Amino acid sequence: MKPLQEQKEYRTFDLRLYWRILRYARPYWLRLAVGVLAGMLVGGSLFFALMMIPKMAVVVDPVAPVRQTVTEGAATGDQQLDKLLAQMAHYAAEFRLPVEVEGAEIRVTWPEEYVFRAVDETGRFAWQLLAVYGIGFIIAWFFKNVAEYLNKYCMAWVGARAVADMRNDIFRSLIGQSLIFYGKRDVGDLISRSTHDTQTIEHCVAQSVSELTCCPIQLIACLAAVFVVCRESDNYLLVIILLCGMPLLLLPITFVSQHIRRICRRCYARIALVVSKMHDVFTGIRVVKAYHTEELEYRTFRKINHRYFRDAVRAIRLQLLLSPMMEVVVVAVTLVFVIFSYQQGVSLTQLAALLSPAFMAYKPLKELSKAITYIQRSMAGADRFFETLDVVTALPEKENARELREFRGSIRFEDVDFNYGERNILSGLSLEIPRGSMVAVVGETGSGKSTIANLIGRFYDVTGGRVTIDGVDVRDYSIASLRRQIGVVTQEALLFNDTIANNIAYGCPEATREDVIRAAQQANAHEFIVDGRHAEGYDTNVGEKGFRLSGGEKQRISIARAILRNPPILILDEATSALDTVTEKLVQEALTQIMENRTVFAIAHRLSTIRHADRIVVLNQGRIVEQGTHDELMALNGTYRKLYDTQFARDE
């Protein structure tokens, strides 16, 4: 089977994929709306600030003609001055500013009254006029940055929240998958898809969406400012050049977008292999140490990591290539404009007023291009994320499934077949396990012993026949109610990186500390927990997969967990295999006490367990070849006797 990341290719632009991501942001529409509104305010503030630049350029124009002397309340006779004063009066009235304009006299009424003339004795604009426009520019720039902060913060919040929801969804999806799914998937790859890939999506929503809502509005503001300046100076050359040069700016963006998603998807597949290798080595560190293969594992990891490095460098190279390509286009367009302006005799003041909005537009244009490349990177992660999220292997549950409230009768296997892929595990197996009985199953490795236990708990579905509890097919029960009736102690004691008490109480959140201690005592675990070997007693953290405990200690905690659950059906999958003979005897006594009025299904226990079973079933290649009590099977002198002589004789 091909790795998950290589199963299909994706188009560069897939609107459905973008929509699926945005659906995660939809519940937070209010913050999203605030962010978009703030982005619009950024554009408005930028436009207002840009409108101040031509005014300041006119004020400081060193080659402007000497203005005529004016009298109070009279027209100045200078077209530029009249226009500036008229605009100032208009803005003062429109926005209710503390400024009054009377002819060439300007009165500031707040915070203190101050009067000055727009033109001094030499015919130059007064410095106070430059200060007024400078203050207007500072105020506009201040509001621009406040709005930009709100835009980025709201978008970052929505991005982080949406991706947190995505992680919740994929975790719920993964834990709901069947055991067959985990038999075919690499855990490291799943972890990478749930963490690393979602981080790239978070950057897309938090950063790129912010740029997409803010930068276009800034570009529109800059273009509007250019158009206004061009109209005032009756020179539309820059507008024409910008409109002609805009398609050229799209060329590097298009070139990068075509390649970056494909490369980043391969890059994410590589980092998944890195995570997978680290997961394998760290979880199997005891084996690595035992066989002294640290150097071998290091060399293998270096090779995998180097492959990821090469793909990461390719992606970085493409991203870094975008900026110089765009700068070349921008510089070329600017030089063309300057040359044409010089040829047409445009003054330096007009040129500064025309070019300042164009230069201001470069930053949002550059950020917009980066956002597009980041979006393509995040789409590569989204491909892998939704590819995993869309996998459905969970066992189907009927819409109106029955509730198994109490186990009263028996468990029956009726002509059951089970295949794992192309491999046949069980063939025509029929078996009845009455309530309150203990049935032991023995057989060679691969004979199907654990499969029978898995079918009782419906961890798999049969491929033929059926399994019933109290005459009802287990597929007709709700999975939750079915598994509430079952307690499982597996051959490998699986503990979580938590305290001893929490591991025992796992699955029983309502259990008290007294309940936990009582279960530990019945499993013969209480003594080693409190005798000083573990300083914090029941609050001792067991480490990754119970790393700090011995094999026997882990197994006894696992048994205590099943005892605390107190289920009517108990499945013991070689539950005492890791215990020494003395401990096994004590645990077996505890199990015997709790097995009263319960159904116990035991797999390949040692001789002591098998001897006390009500019935022993012998499997061979998925079929029952013998069944009966220990004495009956010994008398047959068949398969069981052979297993006894070869596997269990040393336990005598």
Side-chain angles (χ1 to χ4, degrees):
M1 183 174 182
K2 291 184 178 180
L4 202 61
Q5 65 269 14
E6 297 177 3
Q7 289 181 354
K8 65 177 181 176
E9 292 295 331
Y10 288 82
R11 294 173 290 177
T12 301
F13 181 79
D14 190 343
L15 186 60
R16 290 174 299 178
L17 200 60
Y18 293 93
W19 176 243
R20 290 189 70 177
I21 294 177
L22 291 178
R23 282 176 59 188
Y24 280 94
R26 188 168 57 185
Y28 314 107
W29 63 269
L30 184 58
R31 284 183 184 265
L32 198 63
V34 171
V36 173
L37 181 61
M40 297 175 66
L41 291 177
V42 170
S45 301
L46 179 61
F47 177 77
F48 187 81
L50 291 174
M51 289 296 93
M52 298 295 101
I53 294 178
K55 308 298 185 294
M56 289 188 288
V58 170
V59 171
V60 299
D61 188 357
V63 295
V66 177
R67 275 87 182 173
Q68 299 176 15
T69 304
V70 295
T71 59
E72 185 177 351
T76 65
D78 184 277
Q79 187 176 0
Q80 278 190 329
L81 179 58
D82 288 341
K83 192 172 183 179
L84 283 177
L85 294 175
Q87 288 178 343
M88 183 175 291
H90 171 74
Y91 288 133
E94 182 74 19
F95 299 105
R96 297 182 181 181
L97 301 176
V99 177
E100 298 176 359
V101 180
E102 299 177 0
E105 188 175 83
I106 301 171
R107 183 188 306 273
V108 179
T109 59
W110 186 88
E112 293 183 359
E113 186 169 324
Y114 179 75
V115 181
F116 66 92
R117 286 185 170 274
V119 180
D120 60 18
E121 294 78 5
T122 65
R124 298 180 59 192
F125 284 115
W127 66 268
Q128 292 92 338
L129 193 60
L130 178 62
V132 169
Y133 286 117
I135 292 172
F137 181 87
I138 292 172
I139 292 174
W141 206 255
F142 171 78
F143 280 108
K144 169 191 171 294
N145 283 278
V146 170
E148 190 170 2
Y149 168 79
L150 287 175
N151 171 264
K152 292 185 180 299
Y153 172 76
C154 289
M155 291 304 176
W157 190 95
V158 171
R161 182 67 263 178
V163 170
D165 292 343
M166 294 175 75
R167 288 197 184 102
N168 290 339
D169 281 357
I170 197 169
F171 184 78
R172 176 180 288 275
S173 173
L174 289 175
I175 62 175
Q177 301 297 338
S178 67
L179 294 181
I180 294 176
F181 172 85
Y182 286 99
K184 296 179 179 179
R185 296 289 182 258
D186 184 274
V187 174
D189 179 66
L190 296 178
I191 293 173
S192 178
R193 289 169 186 260
S194 304
T195 55
H196 180 269
D197 293 359
T198 53
Q199 285 178 354
T200 64
I201 300 173
E202 180 177 356
H203 184 85
C204 169
V205 179
Q207 301 295 328
S208 300
V209 174
S210 173
E211 302 297 347
L212 289 176
T213 57
C214 188
C215 292
I217 299 175
Q218 292 185 61
L219 287 173
I220 293 173
C222 292
L223 290 175
V226 169
F227 182 79
V228 170
V229 174
C230 289
R231 187 184 63 180
E232 291 180 353
S233 61
D234 196 26
N235 184 349
Y236 295 93
L237 181 61
L238 182 58
V239 175
I240 296 173
I241 293 177
L242 286 177
L243 292 177
C244 294
M246 190 66 68
L248 297 176
L249 293 175
L250 298 177
L251 291 178
I253 297 176
T254 304
F255 172 78
V256 171
S257 297
Q258 287 178 346
H259 296 85
I260 196 156
R261 183 168 175 180
R262 173 177 53 83
I263 293 176
C264 285
R265 183 174 171 83
R266 188 168 66 237
C267 188
Y268 298 155
R270 298 292 191 192
I271 192 62
L273 293 176
V274 171
V275 175
S276 177
K277 186 60 180 176
M278 295 175 72
H279 177 268
D280 286 345
V281 171
F282 295 156
T283 55
I285 192 64
R286 282 181 171 172
V287 177
V288 174
K289 294 292 184 181
Y291 286 85
H292 192 55
T293 55
E294 292 92 339
E295 188 61 30
L296 175 62
E297 293 293 351
Y298 173 69
R299 289 197 299 268
T300 304
F301 179 82
R302 279 192 62 182
K303 291 179 182 178
I304 297 173
N305 197 33
H306 182 68
R307 295 191 191 104
Y308 163 69
F309 165 76
R310 287 186 303 180
D311 285 330
V313 168
R314 291 191 184 101
I316 293 171
R317 189 165 58 224
L318 272 177
Q319 286 180 243
L320 295 179
L321 185 62
L322 181 63
S323 180
M325 290 174 67
M326 290 191 62
E327 286 190 8
V328 169
V329 176
V330 170
V331 170
V333 172
T334 303
L335 286 177
V336 169
F337 170 72
V338 171
I339 292 171
F340 273 96
S341 298
Y342 178 77
Q343 187 266 337
Q344 293 188 1
V346 177
S347 68
L348 186 61
T349 302
Q350 290 178 317
L351 194 62
L354 287 168
L355 284 179
S356 57
F359 285 138
M360 289 288 185
Y362 176 68
K363 180 182 177 182
L365 186 63
K366 187 175 181 180
E367 294 298 324
L368 189 61
S369 66
K370 287 183 178 180
I372 293 174
T373 62
Y374 285 133
I375 287 175
Q376 290 305 319
R377 288 186 60 183
S378 64
M379 288 304 103
D383 290 342
R384 290 162 44 84
F385 174 84
F386 288 115
E387 186 178 81
T388 305
L389 189 64
D390 292 340
V391 173
V392 179
T393 65
L395 297 177
E397 186 171 310
K398 289 190 174 181
E399 185 176 351
N400 297 315
R402 300 177 60 170
E403 292 292 313
L404 179 57
R405 303 189 184 280
E406 184 179 0
F407 173 49
R408 298 179 178 179
S410 64
I411 303 170
R412 292 177 60 90
F413 286 74
E414 301 176 1
D415 199 25
V416 168
D417 295 332
F418 181 77
N419 300 323
Y420 188 83
E422 298 180 356
R423 183 186 172 197
N424 186 39
I425 306 297
L426 298 178
S427 300
L429 185 138
S430 295
L431 175 66
E432 182 174 3
I433 308 173
R435 179 182 179 273
S437 65
M438 177 181 179
V439 175
V441 181
V442 298
E444 296 180 353
T445 301
S447 60
K449 302 186 299 295
S450 295
T451 301
I452 296 177
N454 288 329
L455 293 177
I456 294 174
R458 205 192 167 201
F459 297 109
Y460 300 103
D461 274 341
V462 299
T463 53
R466 67 176 190 158
V467 179
T468 66
I469 295 181
D470 292 345
V472 179
D473 195 317
V474 293
R475 290 170 291 190
D476 294 334
Y477 289 121
S478 70
I479 294 177
S481 69
L482 172 64
R483 292 179 183 167
R484 277 197 297 267
Q485 304 297 317
I486 300 173
V488 180
V489 180
T490 60
Q491 177 180 4
E492 180 184 0
L494 298 175
L495 302 183
F496 297 97
N497 191 6
D498 205 338
T499 64
I500 291 176
N502 288 341
N503 270 284
I504 295 175
Y506 186 79
C508 300
E510 72 284 353
T512 64
R513 178 56 64 92
E514 290 73 21
D515 295 331
V516 170
I517 294 174
R518 191 179 304 113
Q521 289 171 338
Q522 290 178 319
N524 194 32
H526 178 72
E527 183 178 352
F528 79 77
I529 294 174
V530 300
D531 66 0
R533 278 179 275 183
H534 303 289
E536 298 179 46
Y538 282 89
D539 294 320
T540 300
N541 192 292
V542 302
E544 181 74 18
K545 293 186 177 181
F547 189 86
R548 298 178 183 175
L549 305 180
S550 69
E553 290 173 342
K554 289 191 291 184
Q555 197 73 316
R556 279 176 277 175
I557 289 176
S558 180
I559 293 172
R561 178 194 295 163
I563 293 173
L564 181 62
R565 187 173 181 126
N566 196 25
I569 302 172
L570 188 62
I571 297 175
L572 305 176
D573 188 353
E574 300 192 32
T576 59
S577 62
L579 303 180
D580 58 78
T581 304
V582 175
T583 304
E584 180 195 4
K585 183 178 180 181
L586 295 174
V587 172
Q588 188 58 50
E589 290 175 357
L591 290 175
T592 301
Q593 294 176 11
I594 68 168
M595 284 190 297
E596 186 176 354
N597 296 323
R598 286 175 176 79
T599 303
V600 178
F601 185 80
I603 302 173
H605 279 181
R606 290 180 180 175
L607 184 58
S608 58
T609 303
I610 295 172
R611 278 181 166 174
H612 290 87
D614 297 310
R615 187 170 14 147
I616 300 172
V617 177
V618 183
L619 290 182
N620 184 24
Q621 296 183 355
R623 297 179 183 274
I624 297 177
V625 293
E626 293 176 1
Q627 58 180 311
T629 64
H630 171 75
D631 293 334
E632 291 171 347
L633 292 177
M634 290 294 287
L636 287 176
N637 199 26
T639 304
Y640 179 76
R641 182 59 182 263
K642 180 180 178 181
L643 290 173
Y644 173 82
D645 291 337
T646 57
Q647 297 180 23
F648 305 130
R650 60 177 175 267
D651 290 336
E652 286 291 300

